[in-house]
Amino acid sequence: MFRQNKRRTAGRKNFEPSIFQGVTQIYNTRLSFYDIPPIDEITLEEFETWAIDRLKILIEIESCGLRSKSLRETEQVIKPLLLKYLPLNPNPSSSASPPASVIAERKKDHYSHFILRLVFCRTEDLRRKFIKNELVLFKIRYNMLQPKEQREFIAQYSDKLPWQYISQDEKLDILDDLFAATSSTVRNSLVFESGDPSFTISRDQLYQHIQKSEQFIKLPFEKVPNLVASRSVLLRAGSAYIPSTLQLNLLSIEYQDLLTTSLIRTFQSMPRLEEDDRLLPLLNNLSANSSSIEYDMSSKFDAENASDINAVSVTTPAVMKHYPMCATHLQGALMSKSHLKYQGRQQLQLFLKGIGLSIDEAMKFWSYQFTKSNSGITMEKFNKEYKYNLRHNYGLEGARINYKPPDCSRILSKPKPGKGESHGCPYRDLPLDSLITNLNEMGVTDQVDINMVVDDVGRNDYTVACTRVFEFTHKQELAKSKATSSEGMHINHPNLYFDRSRQLEKSS
Amino acid sequence: MTVATSSAGLSSETGAEDTSSTTLENTPTLQSFTRDSENDADGGAPAKKRAAPSSSDMLFYYERLLPFRYIFQWLNHSPKPSKDFTMREFAFEFRSGAYQRYNSFSNQDDFKKSVVNANPMRFEVGAVYSANPKERKNLPKSALKPLSKELVFDIDLTDYDDIRTCCSGTAICTKCWKFIQVATKIMDASLREDFGFNHLIWIFSGRRGAHCWVSDKRARALDENSRKSIVEYLDVVGKHNVKSGKLNLKKPYHPHIERSFNILKDQFATIILREQDPWNTYENNTEIDKKLDELLSFLPEKALQEELRKHWKSSSSNSLTKWEDINVFAKRTLKSQLQVNMLNDAKKDVILYFMYPRLDMEVSKQVIHLLKSPFCIHPGTGNVCVPFDPLKSLVDNDEDSDYGFNPMTAPNLGQLQTEIENWTGNGSTGSNSGVKTLDYEKTSLKPYVDYFAKFVNGLNQEELSVKRERDASDKLDF
Ligand SMILES: [Zn+2]
């Protein structure tokens, strides 16, 4: 019956007409930036099943993220699912153009991506989630490509990517400088790739590796301000030379930018789509499905853990030592200034709620902190201006939504703190000197350790930096509890940091 | 009538008004946006004849000497007045302390007339905006967006006060100017070789520092993120890198740091050990214990530190001897090659720590930040903020060749006035050829103006060729 309803997909309506020659070419390679919308007609049935198949993958990726799985672990989980729901086979080496079966796979991948854009473009929250998970999918698939395909992929997008690989000759010309500038980055990524934190490589081996295997990308220095600031790249005549181990990061930056603007454009053209009464129910149905992606931390906070959390104990070292830097930073600001601006209040209130501070204790804690300095905020003023908001966060006012503490990507997606604000992620937002002071205060004082954290920050890997700090500050506990899974503990949520830290303390 | 606070002016007070706001809106903003902290009028200007100019001195200077023509060309990038100039913000700073932002001028004449009318103590150059800054009141706020500005750097000797022993505060001498000289070399090398900039010029800030203006089109177009990344790249010895006397520098050194070290290492013995001699214990040296602790804290191995501390307590010596002591004692104390390597790294760190340029980072980060224009007069000293070549003296003074530029002999307004008064023409050539000798050409300002004109010319040649290429290919450049 759907055959009769054969129709054009929504994609067509929402994007500028694309160039036909481009369309036949887009299925020439496995992976794409999805920069050309589909224009062929598909059936409603295809529309729905393809979208659901992709959704299954994204839901699994989201779930891996929530379980703090590393990219490597996520890969292990996702690969079998990809084979089942969204296979992408390479071009057979024998024939010049891909066979029909391969084209069909790529078409499904292409369409399903665009259909889910329609599903996820509607709110900022959904867009953020979609981009995050699609980025992971992209990274997994990029890593699955053969080196030759990776080169072809980059060649295909060469007009979009402001890069250029340098020749082996050029590399050898400046080899010593490249080594001096990038060896620590290359070393880190080799350690990361090995998946073994005790992996070591000598200076000579590293030099050999860079000489023989490492490729370098050259691009305008303006493209990579963070790498320039941390002196993680070699600069020559206005170009930055970047080891190709960082290539996936660069690709992700480009892909993320592309996706962000596309989703907003999709959203802006949604009203036209909603005139179509056949698509709307389908999209709504998909949206409902996607709600299982919604974040739920509630199960993670057990009452036993929370029993000793109260208005007094949250300022004690015994509890605060489990805080991630963002929470310490916020609470420090609150305690010294007797005030926090809105964003900071939201972030800390929900964090404290997450660690088990009840509404009554929260009311005591916040009212005391705000009124303690006699700086003008009286109890009446507090009740008038701040109480409602606090109760709102606990789901006791307004729409009565039981708000959950924001995860790191949520925190990172908010506007950066302005003057006098303390919210956000300190790894991203603090000037380097304050960051290092904070690290020292958390007990990270070893120069090598600090450099590693600073390197992560330089690469915008803020949650990696945070996870690393967790590892540095819990070395002993982690060593003792080898039995319980101590690997792959990526911190992507402030409350996860806290819970892990307490758990480790209890178990050791 | 307002009279200059300092009465040591060379020319007599003529009674000319300090026309703070004759033709300009009389609501100057008092916000101190960009002061470069050199305002104290009573600082100890060391050389004689260097004194705060009066407002009539300033008027004379604006009317007859300041090379408006080249400032205009420098900022305009084109033969005809362009938006790069007409939408550029200028700020006036007055004796009263008033600070007036958002002036803009339609051409070179308007520029000069407005400065002469306002007769500010000095004026500053800001960003090019998306609209005319002086019309901002008639525009929605969003219409006035900063679009471009030169990339600027500020180095000031006050940031070296913990190292220099020859002078302190506002005072300088040729010894401590060497810190600035070596800083210009390091910055120059990086900005050219690493970032690929070609059109940069160094300007004496009038008392104890220098500004660098990078005027390449690519530099002017940098957003704040990129500007920040450049300053952080260059800020090797910034506060965040100094923790308990140790620099957090990765080994091997990044090529920029290695190159900087190579520039510094040959001069360390002269500038630090001999001339500044900060660890001299013969004379009464204030805070000597703190200084020695600081030096020792760089060194590896507690044992080595303690031996040296004991030895230096027991007898007096100068810095050169102490530096040699480190090797002597290390031979006895350090046992492994690893420790020796650490010591060598530590000594490199010491050299970088004491001599690497100390930048005022905030000046460089913002596009809208204003900075005193070249050829302004320093209100405290009367010195002209002249451009200079870090490598060679522009006035062919052999004595100065060590410094590239000698701030002690910098052109000074009082001196320039005398030179004009005493000028009698240089033979017959001037008038015969029908070319009028300009006032600045009668003075020692001439080589500096010529140097600046050459710089501006080089910049505009490139601007023109880029424009021509662009017109030809009908494409936008970056
Ligand atoms: Zn001096």
Side-chain angles (χ1 to χ4, degrees), chain B residues 274-326:
Chain B
R274 293 203 184 85
E275 292 181 356
Q276 299 295 338
D277 198 6
W279 305 298
N280 186 331
T281 40
Y282 285 120
E283 288 143 41
N284 185 19
N285 190 335
T286 52
E287 296 195 302
I288 181 67
D289 288 340
K290 208 175 122 205
K291 285 179 187 166
L292 289 179
D293 281 349
E294 183 180 44
L295 174 62
L296 288 170
S297 68
F298 279 89
L299 305 180
E301 297 306 310
K302 271 260 157 346
L304 176 61
Q305 295 181 5
E306 286 315 313
E307 293 269 316
L308 283 167
R309 199 190 311 272
K310 233 170 44 204
H311 178 68
W312 292 344
K313 276 245 157 75
S314 67
S315 64
S316 298
S317 63
N318 62 20
S319 303
L320 199 60
T321 312
K322 288 197 175 65
W323 187 249
E324 283 158 4
D325 286 344
I326 294 175

Side-chain angles (χ1 to χ4, degrees), chain B residues 221-239:
Chain B
L222 291 170
D223 64 13
E224 299 203 338
N225 224 353
S226 297
R227 283 171 206 255
K228 200 166 149 256
S229 77
I230 296 175
V231 232
E232 286 179 7
Y233 177 89
L234 291 171
D235 184 40
V236 171
V237 188
K239 273 185 236 104

Side-chain angles (χ1 to χ4, degrees), chain B residues 164 166-167 172-173 175-176:
Chain B
R164 53 182 191 150
C166 52
C167 314
I172 66 159
C173 68
K175 277 185 196 166
C176 51

Side-chain angles (χ1 to χ4, degrees), chain A residues 177 179-181 184 220-222 225 228-231 233-238 432-433 436-437 440 447 451 455, chain B residues 192-197 218 222 225-226 229-230 232-233 235-236 240-241 243 248-250 252-255 257:
Chain A
D177 284 347
F179 178 77
S184 73
F221 74 84
E222 292 94 334
V228 170
S230 60
R231 270 176 250 113
V233 290
L234 176 67
L235 292 181
R236 275 275 179 288
L432 213 46
D433 50 345
I436 290 172
T437 311
N440 292 343
Q447 207 41 63
N451 285 348
D455 284 348
Chain B
R192 289 178 200 276
E193 293 168 21
D194 300 348
F195 293 96
F197 298 131
R218 184 171 175 182
L222 291 170
N225 224 353
S226 297
S229 77
I230 296 175
E232 286 179 7
Y233 177 89
D235 184 40
V236 171
H240 64 264
N241 284 332
K243 284 278 167 202
N248 288 321
L249 299 176
K250 273 185 248 169
Y253 280 153
H254 185 276
I257 302 180

